[in-house]
């Protein structure tokens, strides 16, 4: 049911949802895909968690995600760790052999030169991965440097990044566009959007419900949202469709705006 | 084990627990009923989530709930959406065909006239549903209007509502009897209770543990509690029985009060 | 993967992790052990929850934990309840018959004389249990009495307790070493450590991620941590190994400190 009349089926170009999986077991993972697979576009095995699964469990999760036509990739911190230990090549090779279909290139914890960043994007593409890059530092109180962000997004796009993620960690507090109370800094957000030629390259990490509601109301139901906890995928989808109080009447506005647009489904 | 000596078996008239399910998969749902089914009286598929399940998953959940003698119903917002789109009849028919055994009639998001509200209750009863009504607005900072609440409860009861829910949303913050910090407004609560001929018609939404503890201590272990997260059902049951620190000594008071009452089990 | 080069395999003497299970069903429990069993040393069925499982579910969970070489024990409040009702003997006998491999001796809610406490430890050992004792009151705002703590730890150790838990409840707020905001009271912590001949007898309850990060940074990756929510076991293990931003660079410090130590694995 979709009172907004806007939601595309998978694979969709608009309104993609990325979940962060911090260690779901196989039964929970099957539950997730069986129940909400249609609403999940990407699955990130958060930070370095992918390194800690028994091999056969990891393998099984990757296959299940593939079968559900869902992109699956290890967290950026894991690749940062590999780069830091001069093992990026081996990381990419193993990720490919395991069947991961994406990677995340980030420098949330470490420092990465522009050229090394571009190199990693290109290497990732060579392996056939969807490459998601990330902008932002994980440190407490980190914020957005507008010029740096714009430049990063523009070059990442040019290099072939599929989406550029705006960092908010798993907590959504005191990082990037969210202040120390998790409130969105609207001004900065608007500056970012004003400076970019297209906004649909951005994936907003928004782990908390209030943040999802805020961004959806501000930017519409078609924005890409990430770091969604697995149990919040269906609730988020109700928000996108106006099936929950917070966006109930918004749904009609969205529908009206959409008006004449024709979708393939 | 029940040091209070008070808990009835299902189907119970006192101390009912309603959980809010925001999208559990089948394995998690089976886990829940197998482990805690005895402590769950009603399951609400929160807000519009029921619309988003694959049909066979939804069907299976409903059947599992039926087999566990647990009432299952779609969230009130879903019916509000249907009413808003002039599709209430079709909603009730489909819910009945799917095997739902209850409905929730609410106006947390939309406006419902008294006559339309009564009509929906009667229609629900005609379909054989247990009808739960709800008092309260979902908007931030919404509060209780005492006279309106009393009148609503009295008429809903007369119309055949099984319980009247006092709204607190999934968050339990800044809504109904809970202030913007989730603290209970005791004065308002007492006014409500003083004005009603019987209090056991009320189902208190109390998603947070502190709220559950507070209401149990204030009103006793036999109150009906709702919007309990699935993973909190067993913890809540330990509170009702004095098997957790917060109500450990309270259990003896409850037992002493109960004294002479004889239960069937 | 372990950039710190420090983690032992099970059964390990350093850096043990205890999780608090508030009512997981069998499928979730199997998921947990299959996915993260290698990182779980002890499982506590929190407070009185063990009393509320259907017998066959409880039995199955205990057997699964045994098969995974994980110690499993009922929460301290449950034993306190039994002591309070003069049923401690029957409690210990039943726990043993059910296959529990540990018990927790605490006085978080009730009062226990030193001699009764020692008696319970000895009785537990006689049954073959690993005995975990706990220091601290569950009441809001409770804090640590230094002399009392030292004496308790010393005597518990002498009596044969395997570890002494420092109480923080499930919430980690306003109790023991954590203030009303969940912030660690470093001064008190240091006083405790300075006064004890060995610190590896202590198991720190630290339910919140920030608390885990703080204690790991302050005391190193080899401390024992408890009351970890099941879904946080793998994230905690990434913290212990420097696979998450918060302890990424710490990992190298830990590795450097370790330097010459040789592990069996």
């Amino acid at each position: 049911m979709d009172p907004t009349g806007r939601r595309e089926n998978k694979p969709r170009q608009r309104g993609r949802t990325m979940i962060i999986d911090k260690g779901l077991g196989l039964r929970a993972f099957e539950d997730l895909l069986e129940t909400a697979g249609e609403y999940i576009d990407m699955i990130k095995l958060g930070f370095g968690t992918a390194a800690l699964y028994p091999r056969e469990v990891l393998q099984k999760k990757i296959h299940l995600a593939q079968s559900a036509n869902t992109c699956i990739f290890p967290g950026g911190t894991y690749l940062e760790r590999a780069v830091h230990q001069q093992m990026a090549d081996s990381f990419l090779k193993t990720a490919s052999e395991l069947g991961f279909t994406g990677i995340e290139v980030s420098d949330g914890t470490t420092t990465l030169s522009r050229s090394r960043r571009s190199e990693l994007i290109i290497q990732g593409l060579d392996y056939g991965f969807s490459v998601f890059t990330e902008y932002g530092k994980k440190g407490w109180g980190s914020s957005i440097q507008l010029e740096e962000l714009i430049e990063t997004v523009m070059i990442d796009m040019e290099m072939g990044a599929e989406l550029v993620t705006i960092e908010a960690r798993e907590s959504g507090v005191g990082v990037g566009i969210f202040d120390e109370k998790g409130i969105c800094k609207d001004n900065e957000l608007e500056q970012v959007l004003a400076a970019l030629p297209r906004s649909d390259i951005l994936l907003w990490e928004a782990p908390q419900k209030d943040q999802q509601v805020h961004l959806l109301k501000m930017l519409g139901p078609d924005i890409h949202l990430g770091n969604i906890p697995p149990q919040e995928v269906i609730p988020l989808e109700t928000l996108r469709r106006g099936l929950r109080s917070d966006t109930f009447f918004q749904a009609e506005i969205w529908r009206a705006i959409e008006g004449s647009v024709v979708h393939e489904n």
Side-chain angles (χ1 to χ4, degrees), chain A:
Chain A
M1 189 191 190
D2 180 15
T4 68
R6 288 176 76 95
R7 292 294 283 156
E8 304 169 25
N9 289 336
K10 277 170 67 175
R12 61 176 75 80
Q13 295 306 310
R14 304 192 307 170
R16 291 197 245 179
T17 295
M18 177 264 274
I19 68 154
I20 180 169
D21 172 354
K22 301 190 300 170
L24 292 180
L26 288 175
R27 293 160 195 79
F29 201 73
E30 289 184 80
D31 258 0
L32 181 69
L33 291 173
E34 190 178 283
T35 311
E38 184 54 39
Y39 314 123
I40 303 171
D41 301 278
M42 293 94 75
I43 296 173
K44 176 167 71 181
L45 303 188
F47 34 96
T49 55
L52 298 183
Y53 288 96
R55 173 86 181 212
E56 63 278 14
V57 174
L58 179 60
Q59 199 75 72
K60 191 81 192 300
K61 287 184 79 160
I62 292 172
H63 288 161
L64 286 166
Q66 286 178 346
S67 306
N69 292 319
T70 301
C71 183
I72 181 165
F73 58 97
T77 305
Y78 193 1
L79 176 52
E80 288 186 57
R81 167 57 72 195
V83 170
H84 188 71
Q85 300 185 316
Q86 261 108 43
M87 295 175 65
D89 289 343
S90 138
F91 175 91
L92 292 171
K93 187 162 176 292
T94 305
S96 175
E97 284 167 2
L98 282 165
F100 278 112
T101 50
I103 58 164
E104 185 178 69
V105 174
S106 62
D107 55 357
T109 304
T110 59
T111 307
L112 209 58
S113 69
R114 180 63 249 184
S115 60
R116 188 73 179 104
R117 184 178 178 103
S118 295
E119 202 172 68
L120 287 168
I121 296 172
I122 292 167
Q123 281 183 280
L125 293 171
D126 283 346
Y127 270 105
F129 293 122
S130 295
V131 178
F132 302 93
T133 61
E134 185 172 61
Y135 174 82
K137 292 293 177 190
K138 289 184 193 292
W140 177 258
S142 74
S143 60
I144 283 177
Q145 304 302 319
L146 190 61
E147 279 183 42
E148 186 190 65
L149 181 149
I150 305 302
E151 191 189 309
T152 304
V153 172
M154 297 304 284
I155 303 181
D156 285 359
M157 270 174 69
E158 201 181 303
M159 289 293 143
E162 188 158 328
L163 295 176
V164 183
T165 305
I166 307 298
E167 169 77 71
R169 302 207 66 182
E170 183 213 343
S171 63
V173 177
V175 57
I177 57 164
F178 301 113
D179 70 15
E180 69 287 348
K181 288 183 177 172
I183 308 287
C184 187
K185 305 172 190 166
D186 290 352
N187 276 350
E188 298 196 13
L189 190 67
E190 277 163 7
Q191 286 175 344
V192 169
L193 293 173
L196 287 176
R198 45 185 277 245
S199 61
D200 65 348
I201 187 81
L202 299 178
L203 170 68
W204 304 95
E205 291 187 351
Q208 300 183 19
K209 181 202 154 190
D210 288 349
Q211 298 170 342
Q212 298 156 22
V213 170
H214 182 80
L215 291 173
L216 288 170
K217 282 188 170 174
M218 189 170 170
L219 307 176
D222 294 337
I223 53 171
H224 310 306
L225 290 170
N227 278 17
I228 306 301
Q231 70 276 17
E232 296 298 331
V233 174
I234 289 188
L236 168 58
E237 193 66 29
T238 63
L239 290 174
R240 288 192 188 274
R241 294 176 190 232
L243 291 168
R244 190 169 191 179
S245 184
D246 313 80
T247 57
F248 190 97
F249 293 111
Q250 201 83 24
E252 273 131 273
I253 302 171
W254 290 334
R255 188 184 180 82
I257 293 169
E258 193 61 4
S260 54
V261 178
V262 178
H263 293 301
E264 69 267 43
N265 49 299

